[in-house]
Amino acid sequence: MVNKLWFFFIVVGILVAGVRGQIGEMTTALLDSADKGVSVAFGLVSILTFWLGIMKLIEKSGLLKVIVRVMRPVAKFLFPDVPADHPAMSSILMNMSANFLGMGSAATPLGLKAMEQLQTLNKDKKTASDAMCTFLALNTSSLTLIPTTVIALRVATGSTNPTATVATTIMATFCSTIVAISVDKFCRKIYRGR
Amino acid sequence: MGVISIVSQWAIPMMVLFVVVYSYIKGVDVFDTFVEGAKEGFQTAIKLIPFLVAMLVAIGVFRQSGAFDILIGLLQPALNLVGIPGEILPLGFMRPISGSGALAMTTETLQTHGPDSMLGYMASTIQGSTDTTFYILTVYFGSVGIRRVRYSMSVGLIADLAGFLAAIFVCSIFFN
């Protein structure tokens, strides 16, 4: 699917630009985007380095075991094929906790760590495992309980009630998460058959 | 504002404080352990570059060419019938594709229509309740070299759609 989508974006984009006589801008668009990719990656260096450091402390101090024990029942339901005492499980749980608090910058490194550990359980290294798909579904549906960025943005644009949308955000997040988990469980069953 | 803004301000510093103090009490060499974990940060970021460049180039070309606007123009009349405001549609499309693009669109909506208007509420809720599916897929799968993402992209997009529709629905009830 990523292959097809990528192909579609590039081919349709360039053809449309050609038809609309904007082909001259395409070279800049290509190179600017490439530049953005590199700067986004470098922008992640500081965040990743910091949170992976904190993460190591959480792991070494035994805090991880505490977190994992509390959230075990949820995790067991969502990730039946990941052993409860596997390091991947702890990273998944911490990523979820960070997402809940709207700490996007903390959630990404934890999520990447989780993927790395899920990969050790994966039999086919080029293909996403069931657990990876579920994990991605949770992340893409956004588990935010406190939408920190949005609150800041509302303050900046002069809202009289910046936190007005916290309740609606939680409700909408709840819907998208339920849908994500259900569709994921459904797809998992269908793909099993093949 | 009160409680939630206080919670959002205190959450990260408190978490860091708690982790450091807890580790220290447990007899962990805090500095050495932090550095040990932090070492991996740079390599992880570098590994992401090819995937990010590939994705952002495709999206950049698609947007800059005007193809994105054409797609939205085609869908707008149909969605107006269902009661989805046309002004909010571009955000719905942008949200899964580009986090910074969506943030820019939300900012624009809040500035143009006001943060306390119906469109402002909807944009804020959508921004908070959905996530950048393509970015997450690219970065998370890219970092471990997964090529075949199976059904996860469809699941992500369906979840985004659900979040988008739920946001519009909940806001139109809640703020009326």
Side-chain angles (χ1 to χ4, degrees):
Chain A
M1 183 131 181
V2 185
N3 272 313
K4 282 180 196 152
L5 191 89
W6 198 77
F7 179 81
F8 176 81
F9 276 177
I10 299 263
V11 172
V12 172
I14 292 179
L15 289 181
V16 168
V19 172
R20 299 178 80 220
Q22 290 179 336
I23 202 77
E25 289 154 35
M26 275 304 102
T27 313
T28 336
L30 284 163
L31 296 178
D32 280 354
S33 309
D35 191 54
K36 218 198 294 172
V38 175
S39 48
V40 168
F42 271 94
L44 284 172
V45 171
S46 53
I47 300 166
L48 280 167
T49 305
F50 176 73
W51 284 110
L52 287 173
I54 292 292
M55 169 89 176
K56 199 69 170 182
L57 283 174
I58 294 177
E59 198 183 307
K60 273 259 178 82
S61 65
L63 257 180
L64 254 184
K65 284 181 192 139
V66 181
I67 302 172
V68 171
R69 206 172 301 141
V70 175
M71 290 182 67
R72 187 159 288 173
V74 187
K76 244 187 174 166
F77 167 74
L78 289 173
F79 301 97
D81 31 11
V82 177
D85 52 353
H86 194 272
M89 198 57 113
S90 347
S91 304
I92 290 172
L93 291 172
M94 295 214 303
N95 166 273
M96 284 168 69
S97 320
N99 268 319
F100 273 131
L101 299 173
M103 305 193 293
S105 62
T108 308
L110 298 170
L112 292 178
K113 191 85 199 166
M115 285 303 283
E116 207 175 281
Q117 288 156 343
L118 284 175
Q119 181 73 314
T120 64
L121 293 169
N122 192 3
K123 289 188 191 78
D124 177 358
K125 302 291 179 207
K126 297 252 177 216
T127 306
S129 65
D130 285 356
M132 286 175 171
C133 290
T134 307
F135 182 59
L136 264 281
L138 282 176
N139 267 281
T140 57
S141 75
S142 161
L143 298 155
T144 320
L145 292 183
I146 306 167
T148 352
T149 317
V150 175
I151 295 172
L153 196 61
R154 292 179 59 78
V155 172
T157 48
S159 170
T160 51
N161 190 359
T163 53
T165 54
V166 170
T168 51
T169 302
I170 293 175
M171 285 186 250
T173 293
F174 185 73
C175 291
S176 66
T177 305
I178 295 288
V179 168
I181 294 171
S182 319
V183 177
D184 177 74
K185 290 261 175 202
F186 180 73
C187 288
R188 187 187 274 229
K189 270 201 187 114
I190 290 184
Y191 268 68
R192 271 285 147 72
R194 288 187 194 172
Chain B
M1 194 68 194
V3 181
I4 290 169
S5 82
I6 292 170
V7 170
S8 357
Q9 274 178 13
W10 282 69
I12 293 182
M14 278 300 114
M15 187 190 149
V16 173
L17 181 72
F18 179 73
V19 169
V20 173
V21 171
Y22 187 89
S23 306
Y24 191 82
I25 293 171
K26 286 279 165 173
V28 176
D29 299 324
V30 282
F31 178 78
D32 295 334
T33 309
F34 180 92
V35 171
E36 194 192 325
K39 265 189 239 161
E40 293 168 47
F42 191 71
Q43 283 130 308
T44 312
I46 298 306
K47 264 196 279 179
L48 294 177
I49 291 179
F51 298 94
L52 279 169
V53 169
M55 216 23 143
L56 289 176
V57 162
I59 291 164
V61 165
F62 197 68
R63 283 202 69 193
Q64 281 292 308
S65 66
F68 185 76
D69 297 328
I70 295 174
L71 185 70
I72 286 169
L74 287 175
L75 289 163
Q76 202 140 321
L79 286 174
N80 277 340
L81 287 178
V82 205
I84 297 170
E87 293 93 331
I88 213 80
L89 198 57
L91 178 61
F93 273 99
M94 186 53 80
R95 193 68 185 100
I97 296 177
S98 155
S100 51
L103 197 64
M105 277 188 178
T106 302
T107 313
E108 200 205 354
T109 307
L110 296 190
Q111 277 168 349
T112 316
H113 302 277
D116 302 319
S117 65
M118 182 58 88
L119 281 172
Y121 288 139
M122 284 178 176
S124 305
T125 306
I126 293 168
Q127 179 71 32
S129 64
T130 51
D131 218 319
T132 321
T133 297
F134 287 113
Y135 172 81
I136 295 178
L137 244 78
T138 308
V139 169
Y140 279 28
F141 280 137
S143 71
V144 290
I146 297 282
R147 295 290 185 279
R148 292 190 53 229
V149 303
R150 295 166 73 209
Y151 52 84
S152 56
M153 183 178 280
S154 322
V155 175
L157 291 177
I158 291 170
D160 283 330
L161 181 66
F164 176 74
L165 294 177
I168 290 174
F169 182 70
V170 169
C171 282
S172 50
I173 289 177
F174 207 77
F175 294 112
N176 240 333

